[in-house]
Amino acid sequence: MILIDNTKSRLEKKIREFSTGLSASCWMGVCIGYGPGSLDDVIVKIQVAIGWFTGFSALVAVILLVYAGYNFILAGGDPDKITKATNIITNTVIGLVIVFISRMILLYIIDTVLI
């Protein structure tokens, strides 16, 4: 969240600095400059897509954790069902960690390399 807010403020600052008559040069649909269709517009869209993907992944993780907890409660002492539920919980947490680490890496790359 901090990276996106910092990036937006840096983008807004750059837009204010260069919006004094800077013309954009476009090639193959990507414009270098500011305004609709510019490279900064594409970067913001990528950041929004990363946010949506992370939110969707968190929603799926919560659903899987509830499902695993439900299975764990209804296992009734059956070791196979308990193992299945704990495996679902473990894999969900590992997947969620991977999603958040990849989000941090992508936003870091966008912030340091592209902006």
Side-chain angles (χ1 to χ4, degrees), residues 37-105:
S38 69
L39 185 61
D40 289 326
D41 190 37
V42 173
I43 291 172
V44 170
K45 287 181 182 178
I46 291 172
Q47 290 173 335
V48 169
I50 291 171
W52 277 98
F53 175 74
T54 305
F56 179 74
S57 299
L59 177 67
V60 170
V62 167
I63 291 170
L64 283 172
L65 288 173
V66 168
Y67 172 73
Y70 180 75
N71 283 341
F72 193 79
I73 290 171
L74 294 181
D78 185 12
D80 292 333
K81 290 182 180 179
I82 292 174
T83 304
K84 180 182 174 185
T86 55
N87 285 341
I88 291 172
I89 292 171
T90 304
N91 292 334
T92 301
V93 170
I94 290 171
L96 203 55
V97 167
I98 290 171
V99 166
F100 282 114
I101 288 175
S102 64
R103 177 184 186 270
M104 288 178 5
I105 291 171

Side-chain angles (χ1 to χ4, degrees), residues 4 7-8 11 15 24-52 106-107 109-111 114-115:
I4 291 177
T7 304
K8 284 183 181 177
L11 280 175
I15 289 171
S25 63
C26 298
W27 184 73
M28 303 266 309
V30 176
C31 301
I32 300 173
Y34 297 96
S38 69
L39 185 61
D40 289 326
D41 190 37
V42 173
I43 291 172
V44 170
K45 287 181 182 178
I46 291 172
Q47 290 173 335
V48 169
I50 291 171
W52 277 98
L106 284 172
L107 291 178
I109 289 171
I110 289 171
D111 190 38
L114 296 178
I115 296 179

